[in-house]
Amino acid sequence: MKSETERLQEELNKNLFDSLIEFLQKSHSGFRKNSRDWGYQIKLREIPTAALVLGVNVTDHDLTFRSLREALQNNVTPYVVSLQARECPDMKHFLQKLVSQLMDCCIDVESKEEENVQITQKTTHCSMDSLCSWYMNVTQKTDPKKPGKKRTSSSQWQSPPVVLILKDMESFTTKVLQDFIIISSQHLHEFPLILIFGIATSPIIIHRLLPHAVSSLLCIELFQSLSCKEHLTTVLDKLLLTTQFPFKLSEKVLQILINIFLYHDFSIQNFIKGLQLSLLEHFCSQSLSVLCCNLPEAKRRINFLSDNQCENIRRLPSFRRYVEKQAAEKQVALLTSERFLKEETQSLLENLHVYHTNYFLVLRCLHQFTSSLPKCPLGRQIRELYCTCLEKNIWESEEYASALQLLRMLAKDELMTILQKCLDVFRSSEKQLGNTAKRIEEFLAQFQSLDAQAKEEEDTSGSQSKRLQKTDLYHLQKALLEMKELRRTSKKPTKFEVLREKVVNFIDTLVREHLLPPDTQPLHEALYCSAAHSLREHLNAAPRMALHTALNNPYYYLKNEALKSEEGCIPNVAPDICIAYKLHLECSRLINLVDWSEAFSTVVTAAEQMDANSMTSEERDEIIHARFIRAVSELELLGFIKPTKQKTDHVARLTWGGC
């Protein structure tokens, strides 16, 4: 699953990276040709700029830029620099970071020592003139006419460009960007620079940050990455909506991961980490997860199950429901015979894999029918339909009934297009669902035959209309009224309506037969992760609640019997910060530090019971006072209190309530 995830991410970014590389190569062609054409001369004054719109899923941008940098170094140029706004508060730091990263980019392995010397010299004076001279020296050393040099594919050009990636373009200071662009455009003929702007919001931000006089120095081309929602749909399609991987998620677990993605960060990386965490949780908490593998291996493992594992199978709720439906003799055999239990488990596990194969085929077919309906009663994305099918019998919902009503009003062209897509879905699977593909082909053939019949009816109606045209107006109106009344009274459905009803009933039958919820299948617990509560605790962190629990009841985490206390009491052996926290809960908005310190000292001295001979009272008070100051400082760091100017010897309380 991990290798499939990595391969999937590479494929999703491949088209974007290919178009970017093509743009960079075309942009640098004029500089390499050194043409005197007027158009080239005008173009040489503009800095080629790629505006890369990546979306608001900022947490995924680092991985994307890392992959982009590797692709550019392998295919375009070894001189790729990546800068962030927090590293460049002004022009001085901007140039220093640019120079320091460029000096680390070496084409010639033999000249590393010389370039290291250049680093120490130029960090003291960073300017565009020094960059231009450095670039000229480096490109002369990598002259392709000189033999004996080891060169990469990205260094085939005599003058490779310098690519500067600004990861978070919106966060850069406007003055820094303007100054750098103006200075770079004046040295573009000797320092071939290409800019890549990483944009999280909208391309219009370029014109908001840069005035026209500066933006006119840029030759901007827009590149749009794949939408994070489309990326999520692809990940679900390749990892969960497939029989390639037996591991599956229950409805609650999947809904938690999707909600975190949609309402928190839009991060595909975090979604994949959540999927990995659910996989780990399933294999750690479910003893029968040993059967979560491909079918041949699972059958082999069943033969080596221990007696305890067989008992765990008998305890599964789904297996107990299955046993209750069997005959009395078979029930006794399943509950007493280990050999018979293993044989039945192999059969049930095989049925579960067949169920998944048919389930996903029918799910995709139903999605083809319902995704284009008005208002999308079952959802526009397949993940919405999948979550509904995991939760309950979908045919019992009002949305499903509404979808069937809309399907009964589809036109013939729309219905034929959807049927063709469903036929492609069934044909793409090696194991087709019985004769379903053949039935769909028959429906398509019948729809096509309706066209020929419709043409014949048009010809006959045309001849009738010609006969009607020969009569006078009175007889024509009378004949039309008779035809209208005949159609109204008969209400006989047309051949197309009858065939359309057959198609809808056929799809409804497939749904009722194969889209049963997974919890109705025996042994589904072995493949489905259902640890929703544990996953929510790990992913939906509640730091304030955790802090309150740790400070108010330290036994919950430390498991020290001495820390047990009744509710409302302050244990005198608790950590200092816990004592100070519980005392501060008893105070109002403003806390008197003197009173707080005296109360703290009273609790602590009751715990320690110091010997008067070993330590004087003054020394003891100083130690307790230091411990109190440290505890108060820690509470201030955690955000529970803050200093106030109303009273110098008071602090303000910032939190209220139990959490």
Side-chain angles (χ1 to χ4, degrees):
M1 184 177 286
K2 181 180 179 181
S3 59
E4 178 67 19
T5 304
E6 294 174 351
R7 186 190 64 81
L8 180 63
Q9 290 177 338
E10 291 178 359
E11 288 183 356
L12 291 173
N13 290 327
K14 186 176 183 303
N15 295 332
L16 176 65
F17 290 172
D18 289 345
S19 58
L20 261 174
I21 290 172
E22 183 181 359
F23 166 73
L24 297 181
Q25 291 174 346
K26 288 182 179 179
S27 301
H28 194 58
S29 60
F31 184 84
R32 289 189 288 129
K33 291 179 181 179
N34 198 16
S35 174
R36 294 186 177 180
D37 183 63
W38 182 81
Y40 277 121
Q41 294 296 325
I42 293 297
K43 197 171 183 180
L44 281 177
R45 299 177 185 175
E46 298 179 350
I47 303 176
T49 305
L52 184 57
V53 183
L54 296 176
V56 295
N57 52 331
V58 182
T59 51
D60 294 339
H61 291 183
D62 288 338
L63 179 62
T64 303
F65 283 122
R66 197 181 310 126
S67 303
L68 175 61
R69 183 169 184 170
E70 294 177 358
L72 294 179
Q73 288 177 339
N74 293 332
N75 298 281
V76 180
T77 174
Y79 308 118
V80 182
V81 179
S82 180
L83 298 180
Q84 289 182 312
R86 65 171 181 264
E87 302 172 343
C88 311
D90 50 29
M91 193 64 184
K92 176 183 177 182
H93 289 86
F94 191 101
L95 288 177
Q96 284 181 354
K97 288 292 182 181
L98 176 61
V99 171
S100 62
Q101 289 195 34
L102 275 179
M103 296 302 181
D104 293 335
C105 302
C106 302
I107 299 179
D108 194 354
V109 180
E110 298 176 359
S111 61
K112 281 187 177 180
E113 295 182 357
E114 298 178 7
E115 293 184 357
N116 288 334
V117 175
Q118 291 178 358
I119 293 175
T120 59
Q121 295 176 352
K122 294 182 181 178
T123 50
T124 57
H125 180 68
C126 300
S127 63
M128 288 302 297
D129 293 332
S130 61
L131 278 175
C132 294
S133 59
W134 168 86
Y135 179 80
M136 186 174 297
N137 293 333
V138 172
T139 52
Q140 287 177 355
K141 290 178 183 178
T142 57
D143 192 350
K145 296 180 181 180
K146 295 182 180 180
K149 304 284 186 181
K150 294 183 179 180
R151 303 166 59 82
T152 62
S153 59
S154 64
S155 59
Q156 297 298 321
W157 298 346
Q158 183 177 357
S159 301
V162 176
V163 178
L164 175 58
I165 302 175
L166 303 181
K167 291 184 178 181
D168 45 352
M169 192 257 184
E170 296 98 333
S171 302
F172 275 87
T173 308
T174 304
K175 188 176 187 313
V176 173
L177 284 178
Q178 293 181 15
D179 293 346
F180 178 75
I181 291 173
I182 293 173
I183 296 173
S184 301
S185 64
Q186 297 174 357
H187 295 81
L188 198 60
H189 60 283
E190 51 187 356
F191 187 74
L193 178 67
I194 298 178
L195 297 177
I196 296 179
F197 290 158
I199 300 175
T201 53
S202 172
I204 198 66
I205 194 66
I206 298 177
H207 301 287
R208 290 180 181 176
L209 291 177
L210 304 176
H212 177 71
V214 179
S215 61
S216 61
L217 300 175
L218 303 177
C219 180
I220 303 175
E221 186 163 338
L222 183 64
F223 295 89
Q224 179 76 49
S225 67
L226 189 66
S227 169
C228 52
K229 290 185 178 181
E230 296 176 1
H231 198 159
L232 175 65
T233 302
T234 307
V235 170
L236 289 176
D237 185 63
K238 298 296 183 182
L239 298 183
L240 294 181
L241 304 182
T242 177
T243 56
Q244 182 180 358
F245 306 108
F247 174 72
K248 298 292 182 289
L249 299 178
S250 66
E251 185 272 335
K252 291 184 178 179
V253 173
L254 181 60
Q255 198 64 53
I256 288 173
L257 296 180
I258 292 178
N259 288 342
I260 291 175
F261 174 85
L262 293 177
Y263 300 112
H264 287 78
D265 52 11
F266 287 105
S267 174
I268 295 296
Q269 295 300 314
N270 291 345
F271 180 85
I272 293 175
K273 289 179 181 178
L275 183 61
Q276 293 172 345
L277 179 61
S278 60
L279 181 66
L280 180 63
E281 188 71 26
H282 176 67
F283 277 91
C284 290
S285 61
Q286 177 56 258
S287 59
L288 293 176
S289 59
V290 66
L291 303 179
C292 186
C293 56
N294 55 55
L295 186 58
E297 179 64 20
K299 287 184 176 181
R300 187 189 67 81
R301 293 180 180 181
I302 289 174
N303 295 326
F304 298 98
L305 291 179
S306 63
D307 294 342
N308 291 333
Q309 289 175 322
C310 291
E311 287 300 321
N312 290 333
I313 292 178
R314 293 189 178 104
R315 294 192 188 102
L316 291 177
S318 62
F319 187 79
R320 293 171 62 181
R321 290 194 298 266
Y322 171 76
V323 172
E324 292 172 357
K325 297 178 183 178
Q326 306 305 314
E329 296 179 356
K330 192 173 183 180
Q331 287 182 4
V332 174
L334 288 172
L335 297 176
T336 58
S337 174
E338 306 293 338
R339 182 164 172 253
F340 186 75
L341 175 65
K342 292 179 180 179
E343 292 177 356
E344 192 68 17
T345 302
Q346 289 180 344
S347 176
L348 291 176
L349 209 57
E350 185 175 357
N351 293 340
L352 187 59
H353 281 73
V354 173
Y355 159 80
H356 282 143
T357 303
N358 299 338
Y359 185 94
F360 293 126
L361 286 175
V362 177
L363 181 72
R364 296 179 191 280
C365 180
L366 180 61
H367 175 65
Q368 294 293 342
F369 272 92
T370 60
S371 60
S372 58
L373 293 178
K375 296 184 179 180
C376 299
L378 292 178
R380 188 177 301 275
Q381 302 291 336
I382 193 171
R383 66 170 183 271
E384 301 170 346
L385 179 61
Y386 182 50
C387 288
T388 306
C389 294
L390 288 177
E391 181 182 7
K392 58 185 178 181
N393 294 330
I394 190 172
W395 56 87
E396 296 177 356
S397 63
E398 297 180 359
E399 293 81 6
Y400 181 78
S402 175
L404 289 186
Q405 291 180 358
L406 293 173
L407 288 177
R408 291 187 173 95
M409 293 186 289
L410 286 179
K412 183 177 64 176
D413 295 339
E414 296 174 336
L415 202 56
M416 290 182 66
T417 302
I418 295 174
L419 284 174
Q420 186 61 48
K421 292 180 180 179
C422 293
L423 183 61
D424 296 337
V425 169
F426 285 105
R427 283 178 175 174
S428 63
S429 175
E430 297 179 358
K431 298 179 181 179
Q432 295 183 5
L433 189 62
N435 59 349
T436 305
K438 186 177 180 181
R439 288 288 306 276
I440 295 177
E441 289 178 350
E442 293 176 356
F443 284 132
L444 286 172
Q446 293 176 11
F447 276 118
Q448 292 174 355
S449 64
L450 287 178
D451 293 337
Q453 297 178 6
K455 289 182 180 179
E456 294 179 358
E457 292 178 358
E458 287 179 0
D459 295 340
T460 55
S461 62
S463 60
Q464 291 178 0
S465 62
K466 288 180 180 179
R467 288 195 298 269
L468 289 173
Q469 288 175 1
K470 294 180 181 179
T471 61
D472 56 7
L473 180 61
Y474 172 76
H475 290 89
L476 176 61
Q477 291 178 345
K478 184 178 180 181
L480 291 174
L481 289 173
E482 290 176 356
M483 292 172 60
K484 182 179 180 181
E485 184 67 20
L486 182 63
R487 289 178 180 176
R488 188 180 66 82
T489 55
S490 62
K491 291 184 180 180
K492 184 178 180 181
T494 63
K495 294 181 179 180
F496 166 69
E497 293 174 346
V498 173
L499 187 57
R500 180 175 60 188
E501 185 67 23
K502 288 182 180 179
V503 171
V504 174
N505 292 335
F506 172 70
I507 297 300
D508 185 36
T509 304
L510 285 179
V511 169
R512 294 174 182 269
E513 183 177 356
H514 299 288
L515 284 188
L516 294 167
D519 55 10
T520 61
Q521 305 300 312
L523 302 182
H524 74 276
E525 293 92 343
L527 305 184
Y528 281 81
C529 173
S530 57
H533 179 71
S534 176
L535 196 67
R536 186 184 290 110
E537 287 184 347
H538 289 299
L539 296 180
N540 283 347
R544 186 177 175 188
M545 177 66 76
L547 282 174
H548 173 76
T549 304
L551 297 176
N552 194 46
N553 183 20
Y555 173 78
Y556 183 83
Y557 291 106
L558 299 180
K559 303 301 181 185
N560 187 348
E561 295 296 331
L563 296 175
K564 278 189 174 180
S565 63
E566 297 180 1
E567 187 176 357
C569 297
I570 303 177
N572 49 19
V573 293
D576 294 343
I577 188 174
C578 297
I579 297 174
Y581 177 78
K582 297 195 74 171
L583 289 172
H584 114 284
L585 292 178
E586 301 174 358
C587 301
S588 59
R589 188 177 66 87
L590 293 179
I591 305 174
N592 190 323
L593 287 173
V594 177
D595 297 340
W596 194 8
S597 175
E598 291 179 355
F600 179 84
S601 177
T602 303
V603 175
V604 171
T605 52
E608 295 183 354
Q609 297 178 354
M610 298 179 182
D611 188 1
N613 296 326
S614 62
M615 185 181 298
T616 62
S617 60
E618 294 181 358
E619 294 176 350
R620 182 181 59 185
D621 292 341
E622 289 180 358
I623 294 175
I624 294 176
H625 185 64
R627 290 168 57 183
F628 173 74
I629 292 176
R630 182 178 64 181
V632 171
S633 300
E634 291 174 350
L635 289 177
E636 182 181 357
L637 179 65
L638 293 174
F640 290 103
I641 59 174
K642 73 171 184 177
T644 177
K645 295 182 179 180
Q646 296 180 8
K647 295 182 179 180
T648 56
D649 58 344
H650 285 63
V651 292
R653 183 178 172 184
L654 299 178
T655 58
W656 304 92
C659 51

